[in-house]
Amino acid sequence: MNIFELLKVNSFSKLKVINKNADLYREIETIESTETPDVAEYLPKNTLLITTAMAYKDDQEQLCMLIRKLNDLPCAALAIKLGRFINYLDEKVIMTADELGFPLLQIPMDVTLGEIYHQMLGYLWNVQNKEVLYALNTQKKFSTLIFQGASTEVLLNNLGIILKKLVVLMDPLGNIIGSNDNFIEGDMKNVKELFFSLSLYKKQSGVVQYYIDPKKKKGRISIYPFHAFGRNSYYLFIFNSESLPADISALVIEQVLLAFEFSLYKNLCILYHKLKDNERFLLLLLDKNKMEELPPQQLLSIEEKHGLRPSKFYYVVLVTLESFKNNKFHVDKFSHREQKYIFIYEWLQKDILKNYHNSIILVPEIENYRYVLLIQDNDNDLEEKLRYYHDRLLEMLQVKVTFSYGNRVSEIEAIKYSYYGALESYQVGEERDDISFIKHFKTKNVNELLKTLSKDEVEGFCIYNLKTLAYPQDVKSLEIRNTLRTYLESKCSITETSNKMFLHRNTVKYRIKKCEEILGRKIDESDFILQLQLSLILTEEK
């Protein structure tokens, strides 16, 4: 029960609100009556304090200090019986209360403190008892709905019927995920504007907040944050909450929020199994769950339900959640990491389907906290969209993501090579356009490519091709090797080789003939020439 509701009761209608800026929606949990100056040190929260302010009759400056302490507690209100010890309140007292929005109430002279105290306390206990019973019944009703598999929309419709108000449920990214039947497009815009203007995602508060409808300039909107994952919250909006039914209390709302929390967690578990099914599609594309490759037409037939289709090209973009990548994905007990991963997947999937239809397929790679974007059409605005995803997730969910590109391929069975290229891009890729969180494939030169071979393989390959010219030690062999290298670089032209080395043509001819004797064959076949060039590169690296 709050101050506004208390003042509507006939028994307390004679209580007068003294200050203009009083917040009458402060909750009352108990009633206390005292004249002790240091009472603020001993009061429970949300107390309505009754007093004659006798201790402050000669120093209302101290009364201002009391009001500040009560507001910090917080306290619901201060009800003062004027005319007994204090005839009127100084302007500075009222200004202090208005500054804080703290309610000051005046108790009429014809009522004793004992009477008003017992009447208020008795009424409050009666209300609280009804609220507890109503909350238990509400909990039972919503629990039954959940166990019957009711959707979020059904839960919201039932809540709307109970409250007789418009109710809206919003996710941590500011997307409306449900409402009761009274919701219209104008309300949707209003709620989104309010969410972002207040930056609710930055406040990380579990305390209910009240706002005046910014469009209508009247009517209170109550916003109830409740636990989702980590510091992030879902939000229940209740419109025109200043006139809720009398038996609807914070305890009732709390039971409803628990029901929504349980329902959302249940939905995440269901979505996880959907993700596992989609992940099998990725394993099939990468040939990780079959001993033999499937032909393209059979692959298309099997995975058509996932959106795979014939295209002129395909390529993969990996989406890595940097914030979680070194953690294990626990399937038996979802922490905030697992819940965020599933939530982000669902959000990305809806947004990608809306903007790209089946030209982009989103596939989960659960164990590595990654998603795979399979591009199978033109993507002129993809990088702009990836920047949007990065900024939104970082600001609102505190999750950093990196996007890494693989090379384009023209065949379905080659998609796996684009995937492995994307993995390599993630590790050693290069940035483009100064976008630090997007990495493109960096083409390897011959040296980098051949470095992937083992030392024994390299030496064996080089000695097989170059014989004693692979690792020469004497000056004469080094001269012959250098001539061979220049000759190959000059496309086997004697004239060009002699010009580059400042040697006579006959000297070059002699050295090339000597090379052929050492190698045991003519240097006139393109395959052999390529092997010699590669061997020279590898031995020069050595």
Side-chain angles (χ1 to χ4, degrees):
M1 184 178 68
N2 57 42
I3 303 295
F4 181 81
E5 293 165 343
L6 180 70
L7 295 177
K8 290 197 300 183
V9 179
N10 288 334
S11 303
F12 311 115
S13 60
K14 291 184 179 181
L15 290 172
K16 178 184 176 183
V17 181
I18 298 174
N19 54 320
K20 293 180 180 180
N21 295 335
D23 176 11
L24 301 182
Y25 296 105
R26 296 193 179 205
E27 294 294 323
I28 306 171
E29 293 184 4
T30 188
I31 311 294
E32 296 290 344
S33 177
T34 184
E35 302 295 344
T36 307
D38 60 349
V39 64
E41 306 296 330
Y42 307 100
L43 287 178
K45 293 181 179 180
N46 302 320
T47 296
L48 191 157
L49 180 62
I50 297 173
T51 184
T52 62
M54 175 179 63
Y56 307 101
K57 63 180 181 178
D58 298 321
D59 187 1
Q60 292 198 27
E61 186 69 40
Q62 294 297 317
L63 185 55
C64 293
M65 294 179 61
L66 173 66
I67 290 172
R68 293 189 182 278
K69 289 181 180 179
L70 293 177
N71 183 72
D72 292 340
L73 191 58
C75 198
L78 178 63
I80 305 175
K81 185 175 180 179
L82 298 178
R84 182 75 184 275
F85 296 101
I86 297 179
N87 292 324
Y88 61 91
L89 294 178
D90 289 349
E91 187 64 27
K92 59 186 175 184
V93 175
I94 298 175
M95 288 178 63
T96 300
D98 273 338
E99 175 191 338
L100 303 171
F102 185 80
L104 295 177
L105 307 179
Q106 182 177 347
I107 301 171
M109 280 294 297
D110 59 347
V111 179
T112 66
L113 291 191
E115 289 174 346
I116 196 72
Y117 171 75
H118 289 295
Q119 287 176 7
M120 281 188 177
L121 192 58
Y123 181 80
L124 180 62
W125 284 347
N126 186 45
V127 168
Q128 289 175 340
N129 183 54
K130 289 181 179 179
E131 288 176 350
V132 170
L133 291 175
Y134 195 85
L136 292 174
N137 289 331
T138 302
Q139 181 192 47
K140 182 179 179 181
K141 179 177 181 177
F142 276 80
S143 297
T144 301
L145 287 170
I146 290 173
F147 289 127
Q148 290 175 348
S151 64
T152 302
E153 287 73 17
V154 171
L155 295 178
L156 286 167
N157 278 328
N158 276 270
L159 179 59
I161 292 171
I162 292 172
L163 302 181
K164 300 180 178 62
K165 302 293 178 185
L166 169 63
V167 291
V168 178
L169 193 63
M170 181 169 278
D171 72 17
L173 290 174
N175 301 307
I176 294 172
I177 58 176
S179 67
N180 59 339
D181 293 335
N182 299 327
F183 199 55
I184 59 176
E185 187 174 346
D187 294 324
M188 180 185 299
K189 184 179 180 182
N190 193 3
V191 169
K192 285 189 174 183
E193 288 179 358
L194 187 59
F195 176 87
F196 287 102
S197 66
L198 297 172
S199 299
L200 293 178
Y201 51 91
K202 292 182 179 179
K203 298 186 177 181
Q204 311 297 349
S205 173
V207 180
V208 61
Q209 303 177 60
Y210 305 105
Y211 300 96
I212 299 299
D213 188 327
K215 293 293 184 181
K216 300 177 182 178
K217 304 299 182 184
K218 62 180 181 179
R220 187 178 68 160
I221 299 175
S222 295
I223 303 175
Y224 293 86
F226 63 98
H227 173 75
F229 31 77
R231 297 186 300 158
N232 303 99
S233 299
Y234 281 80
Y235 305 89
L236 178 66
F237 287 70
I238 302 177
F239 284 70
N240 299 314
S241 57
E242 73 281 357
S243 57
L244 284 174
D247 47 5
I248 300 298
S249 66
L251 185 59
V252 173
I253 298 296
E254 182 180 329
Q255 297 305 312
V256 171
L257 296 180
L258 284 173
F260 277 116
E261 187 176 330
F262 181 82
S263 177
L264 291 168
Y265 186 85
K266 179 195 72 174
N267 290 340
L268 284 174
C269 294
I270 294 172
L271 285 172
Y272 168 73
H273 293 287
K274 177 183 174 183
L275 264 65
K276 288 298 293 182
D277 181 59
N278 290 342
E279 190 177 41
R280 294 187 188 97
F281 167 57
L282 175 65
L283 297 176
L284 194 60
L285 286 176
L286 302 180
D287 297 324
K288 287 188 175 182
N289 61 347
K290 286 189 175 292
M291 296 299 295
E292 56 183 2
E293 296 184 3
L294 294 174
Q297 291 304 319
Q298 187 176 352
L299 193 59
L300 274 172
S301 176
I302 293 174
E303 300 304 343
E304 186 177 359
K305 67 176 183 178
H306 292 285
L308 187 64
R309 67 184 189 185
S311 179
K312 294 180 180 179
F313 66 85
Y314 305 91
Y315 68 93
V316 165
V317 177
L318 289 183
V319 185
T320 304
L321 302 188
E322 298 286 351
S323 306
F324 305 146
K325 65 180 182 180
N326 294 322
N327 291 279
K328 182 179 178 182
F329 194 101
H330 296 280
V331 300
D332 52 342
K333 184 180 180 181
F334 289 165
S335 70
H336 71 96
R337 288 186 296 270
E338 289 81 12
Q339 293 181 56
K340 278 188 180 180
Y341 178 84
I342 297 170
F343 172 79
I344 293 170
Y345 174 83
E346 185 73 359
W347 174 65
L348 286 175
Q349 187 179 53
K350 288 179 179 177
D351 192 84
I352 288 170
L353 184 62
K354 174 184 174 183
N355 289 282
Y356 299 101
H357 303 289
N358 282 335
S359 63
I360 298 179
I361 302 173
L362 178 69
V363 188
E365 192 177 356
I366 298 173
E367 184 176 347
N368 296 314
Y369 281 103
R370 275 200 298 256
Y371 313 107
V372 177
L373 293 176
L374 175 57
I375 317 296
Q376 46 187 3
D377 208 339
N378 291 323
D379 59 333
N380 297 329
D381 65 337
L382 182 59
E383 286 201 358
E384 182 180 338
K385 197 66 176 174
L386 296 183
R387 183 190 292 272
Y388 166 77
Y389 293 148
H390 172 273
D391 295 346
R392 190 96 181 267
L393 293 174
L394 184 61
E395 180 182 16
M396 304 182 76
L397 293 184
Q398 301 81 50
V399 174
K400 182 181 178 182
V401 297
T402 298
F403 305 93
S404 48
Y405 280 62
N407 283 332
R408 289 193 177 193
V409 296
S410 57
E411 304 293 338
I412 289 176
E413 58 267 34
I415 291 174
K416 59 185 176 184
Y417 300 118
S418 182
Y419 168 85
Y420 292 120
L423 278 179
E424 189 170 346
S425 297
Y426 176 72
Q427 296 167 353
V428 294
E430 58 185 13
E431 298 175 10
R432 291 186 190 173
D433 303 322
D434 297 322
I435 306 176
S436 61
F437 51 86
I438 296 181
K439 294 186 177 182
H440 294 265
F441 187 78
K442 182 180 180 181
T443 305
K444 287 186 174 181
N445 58 34
V446 174
N447 291 6
E448 292 174 321
L449 185 63
L450 295 178
K451 283 178 183 177
T452 60
L453 299 173
S454 70
K455 177 183 177 182
D456 291 338
E457 288 177 316
V458 169
E459 290 185 353
F461 177 80
C462 294
I463 292 173
Y464 175 79
N465 289 304
L466 293 174
K467 304 299 189 288
T468 58
L469 297 179
Y471 303 103
Q473 300 296 321
D474 60 285
V475 175
K476 187 174 182 180
S477 296
L478 286 169
E479 286 179 347
I480 293 174
R481 174 192 165 95
N482 188 36
T483 303
L484 173 63
R485 179 177 58 78
T486 307
Y487 177 69
L488 296 176
E489 290 175 353
S490 303
K491 300 179 182 179
C492 300
S493 169
I494 296 293
T495 302
E496 188 175 342
T497 303
S498 64
N499 291 336
K500 285 183 177 180
M501 299 188 71
F502 304 102
L503 296 174
H504 193 275
R505 283 172 53 85
N506 291 337
T507 304
V508 174
K509 285 182 179 180
Y510 168 78
R511 290 184 180 178
I512 295 303
K513 185 177 180 181
K514 192 67 177 176
C515 282
E516 291 178 338
E517 290 176 1
I518 294 172
L519 301 176
R521 60 184 293 184
K522 292 281 186 180
I523 307 173
D524 57 1
E525 296 180 4
S526 58
D527 287 346
F528 184 50
I529 291 173
L530 176 61
Q531 290 183 51
L532 289 176
Q533 288 176 316
L534 290 176
S535 299
L536 286 167
I537 291 171
L538 287 170
T539 51
E540 285 173 1
E541 287 292 315
K542 175 69 175 177

